[in-house]
Amino acid sequence: MKIGITCYPTYGGSGIVATELGLELANRGHDIHFITYANPIRLDPGVPRIHYHEVEVSNYPLFQYPPYCLSLASRMADVAESYRLDLLHVHYAIPHSISALLAQQMLESTRRLPFITTLHGTDITLVGVDPSYFAITKFSIERSDGATSISEDLRRHTIETFGVQNDIRVIHNFVNCETYQPRRDPGRRSEFAPHGEKLLIHLSNFRPVKRVLDCVQILAEVRRHVDAKLLMVGDGPERGPAEHLAWRLGIQDEVEFLGKQNHVERLISQADVLLMPSEMESFGLAALEAMACGVPPVATRVGGVPELITDGEDGFLCPVGDIAAQSARVTELLTDPALYERMSHAARRSAETRFSTGRIIPMYERYYLEILNRQS
Ligand code: GMT
């Protein structure tokens, strides 16, 4: 198939899933055309069957807000026509599915261009429910030829919130278990933990919904029992407050802020435990990546996370904001080698058996064919 993929090409779960989906599909022989405003971050150049089409937004003094949505629609129509795309697959409803709808309408007189929208979470739970976007988000889902959701929880939430009647197919997020695997590099680990300390890791876009300050508090609690350090990977508005909190708690030397990083698999696999204390998480991709590396996650019981983590088996689930519970679970893992071993293996096994690319990517392929056959 010839597939156009649009996403936010920045550091965010939806962009990562879209990029890795494109790479996996290209590996399986499909022609993939990324149509975005920048080259997606995890897209290394020179991969066969991967093409990149930049969306340029020209500005004009009259525009207080450059109309990206329109430039994107024009580029989608142009690429679809030039490369005879079979379908568009857009990630994150706003504004991508509206641009896809426009592109579809622009080509209507010559050809049919179906589009699929994948809902990722904040496009529904935060942005979509904002009154200024509510009606257009609902419309965009209703007009999509196919809609998928990255968890059952998000599917249910979408139907309840927007009252849409469409069939929304749940296709969970996935991880490449070759790229993400338990791979300790003693040299790298000792850069972060030179005296044999235990290592916690957190990865996110540091938005308030991630509750990154909780990570610093959890480390402070854990350190009452175990000598441990914390790696903070990513950047965003809560980084400054988290750095400040680390200073206030006197553990600034034990928390390392690494900023945005590519190849996070090399970092995750050096850690012992992943912290994901989020207020909301429709799936929790970082936890899945950690599980594939054999790093058990200690996370919150929110959104789609219980579909990924089985509490007490391949990770731990705790209430949001409950620092005592989360730090107790981390401490248990760090002080009970038998528990750690069991959970680390179970985490890796869950990633392999339930969320591997081999299991999930064919679901997308089958869904594409279903949508294409529905059109003809
Ligand atoms: O979490 C974010 O703020 C980023 C957001 C995105 O759309 O990029 O992540 C969402 O999509 C990820 C990939 O499908 C999911 O793993 C995250 O759980 C989801 N985030 C939230 O629901 C808060």
Side-chain angles (χ1 to χ4, degrees), residues 12-14 92 120-122 150 173 205 210 280-285:
S14 60
Y92 212 90
H120 280 271
T122 50
I150 48 91
N173 284 337
N205 55 19
K210 304 294 177 181
M280 180 56 185
E281 208 63 74
S282 290
F283 183 83
L285 185 64

Side-chain angles (χ1 to χ4, degrees), residues 180-243:
Y180 290 79
Q181 52 171 300
R183 205 183 267 136
R184 273 283 156 86
D185 172 348
R188 195 80 214 274
R189 187 176 157 103
S190 66
E191 278 174 35
F192 303 122
H195 307 295
E197 298 92 334
K198 297 290 184 184
L199 208 49
L200 313 183
I201 191 166
H202 170 78
L203 285 96
S204 77
N205 55 19
F206 286 54
R207 307 239 163 244
V209 72
K210 304 294 177 181
R211 295 185 66 102
V212 292
L213 273 65
D214 287 5
C215 296
V216 178
Q217 284 189 293
I218 292 167
L219 177 72
E221 272 305 308
V222 168
R223 283 183 55 78
R224 289 147 75 93
H225 312 278
V226 188
D227 195 9
K229 289 185 166 248
L230 171 62
L231 294 183
M232 299 287 268
V233 182
D235 214 329
E238 293 292 286
R239 176 172 170 170
E243 284 174 326

